[in-house]
Amino acid sequence: MDMEAEDVMWKQIYTKLQAQKSVDRVHSDHEIRIQQVDGGFFERFGSLLREQAEFVEAQEQIEKKQVAEAAAEVAPEKINEDSDNEQPLPTTEESDEVSVTSSDSETDVEKDQSELIATAWNIDELYCEVLYEILHNVGCDVSYEIGQIALFSYAQDAFKISNDKHNYLMETAEKKEAPDLMINVEVIEAKDLSPKDSNGLSDPFVTLYLASNAAHKYNSSVKAMTLNPVWEEHFALPIQENTAEDTLCLEVWDFDPAESVKEKLGKVFDVKGLKGMRKLVKEIAVTATTGQHENELIGRANIPLSTIPASGMTMWYSLDKKNKITRQGVLKVRISFSSEKNNQVAEQEYRHLLRIILLHELEMSKVAPNWWCGTFSPQGDQLLTQHIAQSGLTPVEVSICQYCVFAFIHQNHGLSLTLFSNLLDKLIKPLQTGGVCDEDIKLFWDATKKLLPSCFSVIRKIRRKNTNEKTKMKQVTEVLKILNHIHSLDPPSNFDLFPRTLYPWMTFDGNEEANCDIPSTLNEAVSKGAVDWLNHITENNKRPDETDVAKLQNMIQIIQLLRSDLQKAIEFYDKLFQETVNFQYAKALYVFYQSKLATLCEPEVTQICKNLKQIQYNGYNGSNVENPDESLSEGTSLFELYLAVQRFTTLGVGLCPADCDNFVIKNFHEWFYGGVAQWLDIAVYKALQRIEKAVDLDQLMHVDNTVKYSSSAVDTLTIFYQVKVFWQQLNWPDEEGCYTFIAKIIDDICRCSVFYADKMAAKVEGLGDTQNIYEKKFEVTNEWCLAINNIDYVRETLEPFTRDLGMTEIIQKICDIKSPLDAQRCQDTLENVIANAIDTVRNKIIELLETVVSKMAPSMKRLLIEGAELCEQDCNSVDRLMMYVDNNLSTLHRELNDENFNRTLEIVWICWGKP
Amino acid sequence: MRSNNKNTLLKVVILGDGGVGKSCLMNRFVSNQFDEHSFHTIGVEFLNKDIEIDGETYTLQIWDTAGQERFKTLRTPFYRGSDICMLTYAIDDKSSFKNIQMWKSEFLHYADIKENSQFPFIVVGNKSDVTADEREVPQLEMETWCNENSITSCIETSAKNASNVQEAFKMAVQYWLRLESRADKIDPIINDTVDLRKKHSEHRSSCCVSSGDE
């Protein structure tokens, strides 16, 4: 049989075995009876263990898929988040306690007492101010549907003001003069102006005034020789009564002075130095605004103040001119309202108002923690917008105020972190470029100090199951964005951004003076989260019955949990962490887990392997292992654990290819040496037991029409197959151990084949002998032939079996790491063992054939003698002899394979050829 | 004819500290070769060799083991089913001699031999080629130890100059034969069931025989 043919045959056996299994999941009676011998020992370690591993893998795939789906769902959401119109539908189940710091006893104990008192002190005053603002609402966006009455009653609720007090304060507000409002106009730029000068260009400037006070005109500078001027100049126009009916007039003119701007500009080249230049520019401007001129109007735009929203706007207006149908160009202006109020006062009032309204709204809407993300009721929104407009707060100031108030409230009632990351998006630039006053910078950092603990809390509690994946992803995304933003800023010197009281969970590495920053605290939070999680699962998986099996199962459970945690980290969080804050999240986790796991498992496993009961041989008849079930499930659990750790290690190699050699878990297999050696020892014993049973049960009938062997041969090969599957799963990492175990397995399998041959021979021993009154006779039976074929069939599989164990590969590896000589010796050893077994079994077959032939001999001899005696009278006896020989040989020819039949013929000639 | 060549098959395990020359002994015995710079054995090594005693041929299946402690879990599975155990030390290494006690215990434990039962151990002091100055274990000390442990076979050998190597293995088989015949008289059944090898060893023939049939 050449190698290829052997391969084919070997594969056919497996396919047959597998096909049998899959066709009828209900195991055949025969199979069950065979497995009963040892409680399905080989199946448990071979195919069942593998099936289990596959199942675990499948489970993980499902989990991964769920996480991936959640991640995919979150992604498009992000677009909506920015527009602030997302209205989450919170339910209590989904509410997440994670960032509600109060539940962590991490609340800022100081609670900003001073600010609270200040609020109480000013509350009447602020209320009065709000009433006053309602009375003098500005802007087109004043909602008439809401109406003053509704606003008054909303404010009264929010401030919790009694009716009497309301009436009193209302009177005060009404008595106050109308506000000193300004309209702020920034003339930004114009485009496509119609040319007025001979050169096809214009020298445009802008004049602006209110219709109610046309005398009070404001002019911009003149931009020479352009149809697309850029001004970016600011103007503030005081608003009179009847703001709603007033109109803002914007006019664009072409400048045409006595001494043209052009001429003046010609002087530019004579001017020396920066100072001179400024002077000249000023002069040009003056010429434009006051000089005698016969300017020509390019176009104008009238903007009714009632069309301007209280929160302001930026808009392109088209320029018209009387008698001209065509457009004269477009002008871009930014318009907003403001007051001359003291800015600090306005900000403080805004912060207080925001806090009162937000608390009121949170209370009214009963919104779940961590869900509110900036959407007020129309009333609340209007009050706040009016205050911003009437106080003249800039967008940056407003954002700072919101950031502070939200951070304050967030300490006790979690708000959506999206809120903060969006505010930071707006604030980061002004903060970096010095566009924020010192007072506000201080407020910003105070608020940040309050905000950060909840951010790290999210990281620490990333594994809590009290929220769905999607929400969690979003939270983490926002946290990382926030951290990244804050990390890009420098806190004021001597500012303690990480007060000890807010971080009770931090170890500070025993260094009391440790200087924390965002990256180091993030690292702490990640490891603290991992520690907590590990502690949690080890606690949870503790079982009262601390048997070895329970301990092993416990470790398996823990590894599976850690693995799925890592899977999740890799699938989604890792990318997020790396992209946002350049932090190798999954790797950090793995490094931590693998060392903990080694600490946890190594002593236990080593101990359990050491304690494994040594098997007592008392022959193969009958079960004599003490408590076989216990030692069985112990063994199974041990290898389940082995496979779990193995998979965990593989994960690490993929995750950190550069560092995996330094991991303690890399040498995990060393914990199991004793266990594997012990298992192999038990396995031989079980195998011999099972072979005996298989031979016992064998009916000596063809397994099916296509083959010439019977059930026990298949059963024996099943054992070999299971041992092989077990070994392949072990995938033993170290070469020397691998070689030695293979040597052991091959030796054992060889012993099994020899044993099988013995048992088979013993089984057919007395078959075929018949006796009647006249003669003792032997007939070659199918059983004899099947027994011989069976033995031969098992023998044939030995060599391919050893190849499947990976013999060639391991010899090659030894050659690489040791020396070719060592490899040669190892190979010789393995080949010697196999050759021995094959020869022994072959001899067994020949022995059996000899037996057959010798059993036939007496009958033939007798027939020959009879024939010789009666030769002359009767040729019947010769016929009978020929019939006997013919019958038996044809049975042999029909039933034996060719090789064995030829062997038989040889033996016949040798035996009978003898005198 | 084959039937005349039915050899008895014996499993021999060679134990002893790393470096005492176990592999050298085996190689000298099996292939009459000696390599001064031989390597550490990886796990185990296996070779066959026929030996003739009193006109009877025995096939020895010799398992040479790695002496280093780190191989312990790897070599012990091979002890089971042994017929003969060769405890080796180097006569120029006192500690290797001291350790044969440990090797004996390890063997008895893992081979699962019943306490107090007679087992054919043979003690081999290798490197008898060293000078008198280098010798650390006097022959007498070895013989005393063997007496105390009821081991009747002991010999000093040199794998290097091929002294006593064949004799050592021969002595081991003879010892086995003595014990075997005694055991057969006392209780042949026990022997039949305790060991796997022996059972089929009676039917066993060496590999070279069958080749003639093909």
Side-chain angles (χ1 to χ4, degrees):
Chain A
M1 225 171 160
D2 62 0
M3 302 268 277
E4 213 171 303
E6 273 180 309
D7 258 350
V8 170
M9 175 211 66
W10 197 233
K11 267 180 200 137
Q12 279 169 344
I13 296 167
Y14 288 174
T15 336
K16 206 157 255 169
L17 288 172
Q18 289 304 82
Q20 260 183 346
K21 293 237 163 63
S22 56
V23 164
D24 50 346
R25 293 305 294 175
V26 186
H27 297 288
S28 68
D29 272 358
H30 178 75
E31 227 175 298
I32 290 166
R33 279 168 73 190
I34 287 289
Q35 291 179 19
Q36 257 171 1
V37 180
D38 45 33
F41 177 81
F42 292 94
E43 286 72 16
R44 279 175 95 144
F45 289 96
S47 48
L48 282 187
L49 206 52
R50 182 172 64 185
E51 271 168 38
Q52 199 165 1
E54 281 163 1
F55 176 75
V56 171
E57 214 160 309
Q59 283 293 102
E60 256 165 34
Q61 289 301 329
I62 293 170
E63 245 178 78
K64 257 202 250 178
K65 208 175 145 215
Q66 283 168 347
V67 177
E69 276 167 6
E73 270 178 64
V74 168
E77 278 275 330
K78 283 186 197 143
I79 306 155
N80 293 337
E81 275 167 24
D82 295 330
S83 59
D84 258 17
N85 52 15
E86 175 196 19
Q87 191 69 53
L89 297 168
T91 66
T92 19
E93 291 87 1
E94 280 177 338
S95 75
D96 182 6
E97 298 292 325
V98 166
S99 69
V100 179
T101 49
S102 59
S103 65
D104 294 339
S105 69
E106 277 170 29
T107 325
D108 188 358
V109 221
E110 298 152 48
K111 283 248 183 198
D112 235 4
Q113 294 290 345
S114 58
E115 229 181 312
L116 270 180
I117 294 163
T119 315
W121 195 253
N122 292 328
I123 196 118
D124 291 356
E125 214 172 290
L126 183 62
Y127 184 67
C128 188
E129 188 68 25
V130 168
L131 295 182
Y132 173 77
E133 282 167 2
I134 297 171
L135 288 170
H136 300 279
N137 271 353
V138 292
C140 70
D141 49 354
V142 169
S143 166
Y144 296 102
E145 283 138 56
I146 298 173
Q148 283 192 346
I149 308 295
L151 287 180
F152 284 134
S153 98
Y154 174 87
Q156 195 183 339
D157 282 351
F159 278 76
K160 302 188 170 48
I161 296 284
S162 68
N163 279 335
D164 286 351
K165 198 167 207 172
H166 171 79
N167 290 337
Y168 166 73
L169 290 171
M170 190 66 173
E171 221 171 286
T172 320
E174 275 168 344
K175 270 186 211 148
K176 270 170 93 177
E177 280 177 32
D180 235 358
L181 272 183
M182 312 284 281
I183 180 161
N184 299 319
V185 182
E186 184 189 354
V187 176
I188 303 168
E189 59 177 318
K191 276 206 166 84
D192 310 326
L193 297 177
S194 62
K196 296 296 170 196
D197 291 349
S198 51
N199 57 7
L201 295 169
S202 291
D203 304 317
F205 69 96
V206 183
T207 300
L208 57 158
Y209 54 90
L210 287 166
S212 60
N213 189 8
H216 199 154
K217 283 196 167 75
Y218 298 77
N219 289 331
S220 75
S221 60
V222 177
K223 299 290 166 190
M225 296 184 290
T226 175
L227 298 178
N228 300 301
V230 176
W231 286 285
E232 294 179 336
E233 291 171 24
H234 295 267
F235 304 90
L237 288 68
I239 301 175
Q240 311 299 312
E241 296 288 329
N242 299 324
T243 49
E245 284 131 51
D246 214 339
T247 305
L248 173 66
C249 303
L250 300 165
E251 298 172 352
V252 182
W253 294 78
D254 176 43
F255 182 61
D256 203 3
E259 185 194 23
S260 74
V261 173
K262 229 185 290 175
E263 282 166 38
K264 271 217 168 106
L265 279 176
K267 292 177 185 169
V268 167
F269 304 103
D270 304 328
V271 177
K272 283 181 184 162
L274 197 63
K275 216 166 187 182
M277 186 60 156
R278 272 200 205 123
K279 209 165 157 195
L280 182 73
V281 172
K282 215 171 195 178
E283 206 180 319
I284 296 171
V286 170
T287 317
T289 49
T290 60
Q292 257 84 53
H293 55 76
E294 289 159 35
N295 299 331
E296 198 182 338
L297 182 69
I298 297 174
R300 65 155 56 91
N302 293 330
I303 307 160
L305 293 193
S306 60
T307 63
I308 304 165
S311 49
M313 63 176 185
T314 305
M315 191 83 93
W316 285 95
Y317 289 98
S318 67
L319 300 167
D320 306 317
K321 196 171 173 186
K322 256 179 216 160
N323 308 327
K324 292 269 171 91
I325 305 154
T326 52
R327 205 170 66 169
Q328 304 296 302
V330 285
L331 177 66
K332 186 183 184 184
V333 287
R334 176 176 300 129
I335 306 167
S336 62
F337 297 101
S338 74
S339 75
E340 285 177 19
K341 234 179 223 176
N342 174 301
N343 215 282
Q344 297 303 327
V345 174
E347 272 189 43
Q348 192 178 321
E349 279 180 354
Y350 178 67
R351 285 199 304 272
H352 290 173
L353 179 62
L354 185 59
R355 183 182 305 174
I356 286 165
I357 290 177
L358 179 52
L359 285 174
H360 176 63
E361 299 229 331
L362 290 175
E363 192 185 323
M364 299 308 288
S365 62
K366 299 268 184 274
V367 63
N370 300 318
W371 274 104
W372 193 82
C373 59
T375 313
F376 288 98
S377 69
Q379 293 92 329
D381 194 46
Q382 188 161 332
L383 287 187
L384 290 166
T385 317
Q386 280 301 322
H387 184 84
I388 292 164
Q390 296 190 25
S391 310
L393 291 174
T394 66
V396 173
E397 286 162 347
V398 169
S399 295
I400 293 257
C401 288
Q402 288 176 341
Y403 185 78
C404 297
V405 171
F406 294 161
F408 180 81
I409 290 181
H410 183 65
Q411 293 179 102
N412 290 312
H413 185 291
L415 306 176
S416 166
L417 289 167
T418 315
L419 205 56
F420 296 99
S421 88
N422 287 347
L423 282 172
L424 280 167
D425 282 344
K426 292 183 201 158
L427 282 173
I428 215 75
K429 198 115 189 230
L431 283 165
Q432 279 169 339
T433 54
V436 180
C437 70
D438 290 352
E439 187 76 16
D440 283 354
I441 287 175
K442 196 184 169 311
L443 286 169
F444 172 81
W445 284 105
D446 276 331
T448 303
K449 181 168 79 183
K450 294 185 182 106
L451 174 66
L452 285 180
S454 80
C455 292
F456 292 119
S457 181
V458 169
I459 301 296
R460 272 169 49 219
K461 295 169 184 180
I462 205 161
R463 295 167 186 85
R464 291 274 170 101
K465 290 274 185 214
N466 49 6
T467 184
N468 61 32
E469 286 300 334
K470 192 176 132 190
T471 319
K472 184 124 285 176
M473 298 284 180
K474 215 173 97 181
Q475 270 190 338
V476 174
T477 313
E478 299 303 345
V479 162
L480 294 177
K481 272 201 243 165
I482 291 170
L483 293 180
N484 184 44
H485 275 324
I486 292 173
H487 186 49
S488 72
L489 302 169
D490 294 320
S493 50
N494 293 329
F495 182 83
D496 186 9
L497 191 56
F498 299 93
R500 204 65 41 105
T501 49
L502 294 184
Y503 297 87
W505 50 268
M506 284 224 318
T507 56
F508 291 96
D509 283 338
N511 180 3
E512 290 298 313
E513 301 304 316
N515 240 343
C516 301
D517 56 13
I518 299 276
S520 71
T521 314
L522 177 64
N523 194 34
E524 282 264 354
V526 168
S527 29
K528 178 69 176 153
V531 172
D532 288 347
W533 164 249
L534 193 61
N535 288 343
H536 172 75
I537 58 178
T538 33
E539 280 305 308
N540 265 23
N541 285 289
K542 243 187 199 129
R543 282 167 224 190
D545 56 328
E546 276 298 292
T547 63
D548 281 351
V549 174
K551 276 185 200 158
L552 289 167
Q553 285 300 333
N554 184 20
M555 284 185 264
I556 294 165
Q557 182 77 20
I558 287 168
I559 292 172
Q560 273 163 358
L561 286 168
L562 292 184
R563 229 189 106 78
S564 78
D565 186 55
L566 281 167
Q567 286 289 1
K568 212 187 262 184
I570 293 165
E571 286 298 314
F572 187 67
Y573 294 129
D574 198 46
K575 191 162 163 256
L576 208 59
F577 273 77
Q578 294 210 37
E579 281 177 1
T580 324
V581 288
N582 195 22
F583 183 86
Q584 299 205 301
Y585 180 69
K587 192 179 157 185
L589 284 184
Y590 187 84
V591 170
F592 174 77
Y593 284 158
Q594 62 88 20
S595 92
K596 286 283 170 194
L597 213 52
T599 322
L600 187 77
C601 297
E602 182 173 5
E604 296 266 28
V605 173
T606 325
Q607 191 58 42
I608 287 171
C609 285
K610 216 169 141 189
N611 289 349
L612 278 177
K613 278 196 200 80
Q614 209 197 352
I615 196 150
Q616 302 294 316
Y617 279 89
N618 294 323
Y620 328 106
N621 306 314
S623 150
N624 38 34
V625 191
E626 288 169 51
N627 208 347
D629 280 346
E630 191 204 322
S631 66
L632 249 191
S633 56
E634 194 165 284
T636 320
S637 301
L638 193 63
F639 291 106
E640 265 178 63
L641 178 64
Y642 177 93
L643 293 180
V645 183
Q646 185 184 55
R647 276 153 52 76
F648 190 85
T649 312
T650 315
L651 187 70
V653 175
L655 202 55
C656 347
D659 309 278
C660 60
D661 278 350
N662 304 324
F663 293 159
V664 276
I665 204 147
K666 185 187 146 232
N667 293 323
F668 76 96
H669 61 278
E670 287 171 5
W671 319 336
F672 292 88
Y673 261 131
V676 175
Q678 180 73 4
W679 185 87
L680 293 175
D681 216 16
I682 297 173
V684 187
Y685 165 79
K686 299 274 180 192
L688 296 177
Q689 251 189 351
R690 198 189 264 206
I691 287 171
E692 191 160 47
K693 183 82 176 175
V695 171
D696 227 31
L697 291 175
D698 199 340
Q699 311 270 322
L700 290 173
M701 316 244 284
H702 294 226
V703 172
D704 60 47
N705 290 333
T706 59
V707 297
K708 290 185 170 179
Y709 49 80
S710 65
S711 70
S712 63
V714 176
D715 292 333
T716 304
L717 292 186
T718 308
I719 299 173
F720 296 179
Y721 169 75
Q722 294 291 357
V723 169
K724 195 196 78 155
V725 171
F726 171 75
W727 174 247
Q728 283 171 340
Q729 284 184 97
L730 274 190
N731 193 17
W732 197 260
D734 106 86
E735 292 77 11
E736 293 180 347
C738 202
Y739 154 71
T740 320
F741 283 141
I742 286 186
K744 167 77 177 152
I745 292 174
I746 291 178
D747 187 35
D748 291 343
I749 291 297
C750 290
R751 281 170 75 181
C752 288
S753 344
V754 172
F755 182 74
Y756 176 70
D758 280 339
K759 288 287 155 191
M760 209 63 238
K763 190 179 174 81
V764 292
E765 185 91 59
L767 293 178
D769 292 328
T770 54
Q771 194 168 5
N772 55 30
I773 315 158
Y774 308 107
E775 56 180 1
K776 207 170 157 192
K777 193 173 150 192
F778 172 74
E779 290 286 348
V780 173
T781 59
N782 290 350
E783 284 87 352
W784 269 95
C785 299
L786 272 172
I788 290 163
N789 286 341
N790 280 344
I791 297 169
D792 205 34
Y793 184 55
V794 170
R795 183 187 67 88
E796 277 175 354
T797 59
L798 281 179
E799 223 169 337
F801 171 81
T802 52
R803 258 211 308 284
D804 279 0
L805 286 176
M807 184 173 130
T808 326
E809 291 81 355
I810 197 64
I811 296 293
Q812 186 55 48
K813 273 191 205 156
I814 287 175
C815 184
D816 294 344
I817 62 157
K818 301 293 244 184
S819 70
L821 185 62
D822 276 313
Q824 190 56 52
R825 285 163 63 163
C826 291
Q827 185 168 1
D828 288 348
T829 291
L830 297 179
E831 280 173 355
N832 271 328
V833 176
I834 299 163
N836 255 1
I838 289 177
D839 285 343
T840 310
V841 178
R842 191 190 286 135
N843 286 346
K844 185 71 58 189
I845 293 168
I846 292 167
E847 235 167 66
L848 272 179
L849 291 173
E850 282 173 349
T851 313
V852 170
V853 173
S854 63
K855 273 176 182 264
M856 281 162 71
S859 298
M860 293 178 64
K861 206 171 169 186
R862 194 166 39 75
L863 287 169
L864 272 175
I865 293 167
E866 273 172 29
E869 282 169 356
L870 305 169
C871 199
E872 303 306 314
Q873 299 104 329
D874 185 8
C875 49
N876 270 354
S877 58
V878 176
D879 289 344
R880 276 162 64 202
L881 169 67
M882 289 318 289
M883 215 165 78
Y884 179 78
V885 172
D886 199 43
N887 274 345
N888 285 310
L889 284 184
S890 73
T891 306
L892 287 167
H893 181 65
R894 191 176 66 241
E895 296 298 333
L896 287 180
N897 60 31
D898 291 346
E899 196 187 346
N900 284 328
F901 181 70
N902 289 334
R903 280 179 188 152
T904 317
L905 287 183
E906 267 181 57
I907 293 169
V908 167
W909 291 128
I910 292 166
C911 280
W912 298 349
K914 278 197 304 186
Chain B
M1 276 311 291
R2 280 180 64 248
S3 49
N4 296 336
N5 278 350
K6 271 189 186 172
N7 297 348
T8 304
L9 224 148
L10 295 174
K11 175 171 174 179
V12 183
V13 177
I14 309 178
L15 301 182
D17 280 7
V20 302
K22 294 182 294 301
S23 300
C24 290
L25 271 175
M26 180 170 80
N27 284 327
R28 174 62 81 186
F29 175 60
V30 174
S31 47
N32 201 20
Q33 282 174 350
F34 182 77
D35 182 0
E36 187 95 50
H37 311 285
S38 63
F39 300 82
H40 286 315
T41 304
I42 298 171
V44 291
E45 206 172 331
F46 172 79
L47 284 175
N48 279 327
K49 171 80 175 177
D50 287 355
I51 186 169
E52 202 183 301
I53 294 168
D54 301 334
E56 187 87 14
T57 307
Y58 299 87
T59 298
L60 301 190
Q61 299 186 321
I62 309 166
W63 289 92
D64 173 28
T65 60
Q68 286 81 14
E69 178 58 24
R70 70 190 171 98
F71 284 117
K72 183 178 171 178
T73 40
L74 294 178
R75 69 173 171 251
T76 51
F78 292 92
Y79 295 180
R80 201 184 288 284
S82 304
D83 298 297
I84 292 166
C85 176
M86 195 175 264
L87 300 169
T88 60
Y89 68 95
I91 63 170
D92 63 344
D93 179 358
K94 184 88 177 181
S95 73
S96 73
F97 175 68
K98 290 244 185 313
N99 278 339
I100 57 174
Q101 179 66 55
M102 180 280 285
W103 287 107
K104 184 170 169 253
S105 316
E106 184 180 293
F107 177 80
L108 287 173
H109 180 256
Y110 286 99
D112 197 22
I113 309 286
K114 282 205 183 67
E115 293 278 328
N116 304 324
S117 65
Q118 278 279 9
F119 188 85
F121 283 105
I122 175 168
V123 176
V124 175
N126 194 30
K127 305 197 185 173
S128 63
D129 50 281
V130 297
T131 62
D133 289 351
E134 287 171 303
R135 180 187 276 270
E136 288 184 11
V137 187
Q139 188 155 4
L140 187 66
E141 196 176 334
M142 181 247 275
E143 283 161 3
T144 314
W145 185 87
C146 288
N147 276 333
E148 285 164 4
N149 288 276
S150 337
I151 293 172
T152 57
S153 308
C154 58
I155 191 167
E156 286 191 351
T157 62
S158 167
K160 194 173 180 178
N161 58 29
S163 142
N164 276 346
V165 177
Q166 298 290 330
E167 287 74 7
F169 283 92
K170 201 168 175 180
M171 190 186 259
V173 177
Q174 284 165 340
Y175 188 15
W176 175 83
L177 275 169
R178 276 204 306 282
L179 287 178
E180 191 72 354
S181 56
R182 200 185 309 158
D184 280 346
K185 276 174 213 152
I186 298 163
D187 189 358
I189 303 146
I190 287 177
N191 240 323
D192 201 40
T193 47
V194 168
D195 184 69
L196 177 81
R197 283 285 168 196
K198 252 169 269 166
K199 186 164 179 174
H200 49 78
S201 64
E202 284 147 29
H203 310 280
R204 173 77 163 102
S205 60
S206 87
C207 36
C208 46
V209 176
S210 52
S211 59
D213 297 331
E214 281 167 49

